[in-house]
Amino acid sequence: MYLIPTDDQDGAFAFAKVGRGSGIPLSVILKKGGINYEAAKHIFTITIFNYSEGSVGYELAIGEEAPKEPYTGKPRGRKPKASESESAV
């Protein structure tokens, strides 16, 4: 998917206020593209490219969510209680 800034308002998507920043309502774009973003989680990789003289465009590549690495640090939470056989020793 390519996002290119334009001054022509016909068929263009405007920035919307989101929290403290701004964003583009991608839900409309993704629905038109046939991407089911509600059932599956997607990751976007954004690449900047020169569209025309003095104009910058953005390429959004959709990828699948990477599997999460298992936690290998310090165990969290309470320590398990010692069983009776361990406390008798």
Side-chain angles (χ1 to χ4, degrees):
M1 175 174 6
Y2 296 95
L3 300 175
I4 300 168
T6 182
D7 292 333
D8 182 22
Q9 297 298 320
D10 221 16
F13 295 95
F15 278 102
K17 183 87 170 149
V18 180
R20 287 185 266 165
S22 297
I24 298 172
L26 286 178
S27 61
V28 176
I29 298 169
L30 294 175
K31 282 182 185 175
K32 285 185 178 182
I35 299 168
N36 188 1
Y37 66 91
E38 294 172 338
K41 200 172 198 179
H42 299 284
I43 295 174
F44 291 94
T45 304
I46 301 172
T47 308
I48 298 173
F49 67 94
N50 291 326
Y51 176 66
S52 64
E53 195 174 309
S55 181
V56 175
Y58 303 94
E59 176 186 5
L60 277 67
I62 301 174
E64 295 296 322
E65 183 178 8
K68 192 172 182 180
E69 300 267 338
Y71 183 73
T72 57
K74 182 179 176 183
R76 303 291 180 203
R78 294 182 177 211
K79 292 182 182 178
K81 291 185 178 181
S83 63
E84 290 182 27
S85 61
E86 291 177 5
S87 60
V89 175

